[in-house]
Structures are given as structure tokens and as C-alpha cells.
């Protein structure tokens, strides 16, 4: 039987000599990039605009190469599965995505339905869905907004709604693109604390296992004191390389 240290050292994300060039560009955005992300880590991905942050996130989500076409070299693995041979629908069952521009992802007429959409898609029993919606709404201070139209609430409240709709499905991997961008200082602290709290609490319906999620935060600045490691991307000859791991 494997020990805890051995289990936590199994990479949930791995890039192997990965390079990518969009069809509409002459130069590679990412070239010969290799790194691993282990279970239980909280990673800050940082770099200037154009350094390849979004390309890395899209590659983990499977949007590259399945949606965004281009020239690809090397391999990307999520939970040991090569993204090239995995359907996006299978990847999104394991990976939760919190976008920066949340308005493009809001589709339901109420905050309650927005939070419950993923569970209903998976045919989760309505009684369990209600419990989980009320629980995440409590954590994010959204209970009073549940009957509201999410398009008519503030940008910060939309951000929290999108966060809740991602966390409610208990994804193994959470990718957050500028997750604090539209929040005031108070809600930035609440959101950060909630993300950190998820590593410490037991999850109902998951066999009592402690959550060991990986979170990959993309941002343009160096903030991220609660992160396990920082992956710093620097532009050199118009492609990005992994310069430092801390």
C-alpha cells in the first residue's frame, strides 16, 4: 500500500517538452516546456501579457489542441491521461475552470440554477443538489441572491457565482484565471480563504476523503503568498520557458 507522501507525489498535471504555435502566428508561444504539478499543490502561474499563461491553461483544459488549432509538439497529461487522446467532456469532469470574463459563462435565469447546473447535468438527485447549493451559497455569501438573475448582480457577485458553480462539483483540479480580478478587498480575502479551506475539509459524498485539490491560478502580477510554488513565465524570443520554480 502506497504511503501518503507517495500518493501526493503523483503528478496530476505534467507537461513534457511541450511546444505550441497558433495557426495565425509565425512564432511558437510555448516552446519545449516541461514541468509537473503534484496533488495538493496550489500553483501561481505568472508572467507578462503574451508569455503563454492562457496557452498553458487551455492546454490543461484540452481546448488546445481540440478547439484551438495549431502546431503542437510534446505531450500534456492530466491525471495520467494524454490530453491529445482525451475528450474535452471527460477532462471537464475532473477539471473545474473559473474564467476571468464570467459574463460569457452565465447562462441560467437565477443564481440557484447557475450553481446547480453542473449537478443537474450529471443527474445528481435533487435533494443532494439542494443541500450542496445551499452549502456553497452560505460559504460565498450568496444565499440572498439565489432567486436573482445573475446578469443583474454586481461583477463581484457574478465572480463568486461562477466560483460556486465550479466548486460545487468537487473537481479534482481547479484552474482559476485571474480569480480575484473583479472582487473588492473583502471578497478577495473571502475567496482566497475558501479556496484554502477546501484543502482542509472533508467532502460529503466523497468517502470522507480529505480534499487534495490542485489549484492553478493565472495572474499577471506576482501576488500569491499562499501558493505552494510559483511558475514564472518570461518572454524570450517570443516564446515562454519555465524560468523558476519556488
Amino acid at each position: 500500500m502506497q504511503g501518503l507522501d507517495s500518493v501526493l507525489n503523483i503528478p496530476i498535471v505534467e507537461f513534457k517538452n511541450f511546444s505550441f504555435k497558433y495557426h495565425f502566428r509565425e512564432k511558437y508561444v510555448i516552446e519545449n516546456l516541461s514541468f509537473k504539478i503534484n496533488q495538493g499543490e496550489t500553483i501561481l502561474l505568472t508572467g507578462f501579457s503574451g508569455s503563454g499563461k492562457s496557452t498553458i491553461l487551455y492546454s490543461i483544459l484540452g481546448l488546445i489542441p481540440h478547439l484551438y488549432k495549431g502546431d503542437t509538439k510534446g505531450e500534456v497529461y492530466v491525471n495520467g491521461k494524454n490530453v491529445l487522446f482525451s475528450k474535452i467532456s471527460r477532462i471537464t469532469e475532473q477539471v473545474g475552470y473559473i474564467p476571468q470574463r464570467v459574463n460569457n459563462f452565465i447562462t441560467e435565469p437565477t443564481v440557484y440554477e447557475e450553481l446547480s447546473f453542473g449537478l443537474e447535468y450529471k443527474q445528481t438527485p435533487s435533494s443532494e443538489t439542494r443541500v450542496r447549493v445551499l452549502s456553497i451559497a452560505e460559504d460565498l455569501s450568496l444565499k440572498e441572491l439565489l432567486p436573482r438573475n445573475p446578469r443583474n448582480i454586481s461583477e463581484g457577485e457574478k465572480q463568486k457565482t461562477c466560483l460556486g458553480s465550479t466548486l460545487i462539483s468537487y473537481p479534482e483540479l481547479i484552474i482559476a484565471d485571474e480569480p480575484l480580478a473583479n472582487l473588492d478587498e473583502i471578497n478577495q480575502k473571502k475567496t482566497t480563504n475558501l479556496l484554502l479551506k477546501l484543502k482542509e475539509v472533508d467532502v460529503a459524498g466523497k468517502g470522507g476523503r480529505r480534499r487534495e485539490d490542485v489549484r492553478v491560478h493565472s495572474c499577471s502580477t506576482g501576488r500569491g503568498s499562499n501558493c505552494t510554488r510559483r511558475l514564472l513565465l518570461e518572454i524570450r524570443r517570443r516564446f515562454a520557458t519555465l524560468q523558476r520554480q519556488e
Side-chain angles (χ1 to χ4, degrees), residues 36-130:
K36 297 178 182 179
I37 300 176
N38 298 316
Q39 296 183 37
E41 288 196 290
T42 301
I43 302 297
L44 176 69
L45 178 61
T46 184
F48 291 107
S49 177
S51 61
K53 299 186 302 296
S54 294
T55 299
I56 289 177
L57 298 190
Y58 295 159
S59 300
I60 296 173
L61 290 164
L63 300 180
I64 292 175
H66 298 298
L67 182 60
Y68 299 122
K69 302 298 183 180
D71 296 334
T72 304
K73 300 177 183 178
E75 300 166 318
V76 177
Y77 293 87
V78 174
N79 258 353
K81 303 293 185 181
N82 193 324
V83 168
L84 179 63
F85 305 112
S86 303
K87 294 182 178 180
I88 293 179
S89 59
R90 295 298 299 273
I91 296 172
T92 55
E93 289 177 359
Q94 306 170 67
V95 182
Y97 178 52
I98 304 170
Q100 180 181 1
R101 296 176 179 85
V102 297
N103 284 311
N104 296 335
F105 288 79
I106 292 175
T107 60
E108 300 305 303
T110 68
V111 171
Y112 183 98
E113 289 169 284
E114 191 70 38
L115 292 174
S116 65
F117 177 82
L119 298 180
E120 292 176 351
Y121 178 77
K122 295 177 181 179
Q123 298 183 329
T124 304
S126 58
S127 57
E128 181 183 347
T129 296
R130 178 173 175 78

Side-chain angles (χ1 to χ4, degrees), residues 183-198:
L183 303 179
D184 58 28
E185 185 175 354
I186 293 176
N187 281 304
Q188 284 184 10
K189 290 180 179 179
K190 284 184 178 180
T191 300
T192 300
N193 289 337
L194 176 62
L195 289 170
L196 293 173
K197 176 184 174 184
L198 289 174

Side-chain angles (χ1 to χ4, degrees), residues 213-225:
D213 299 6
V214 176
R215 276 168 290 286
V216 181
H217 301 284
S218 167
C219 69
S220 56
T221 64
R223 292 183 302 174
S225 59

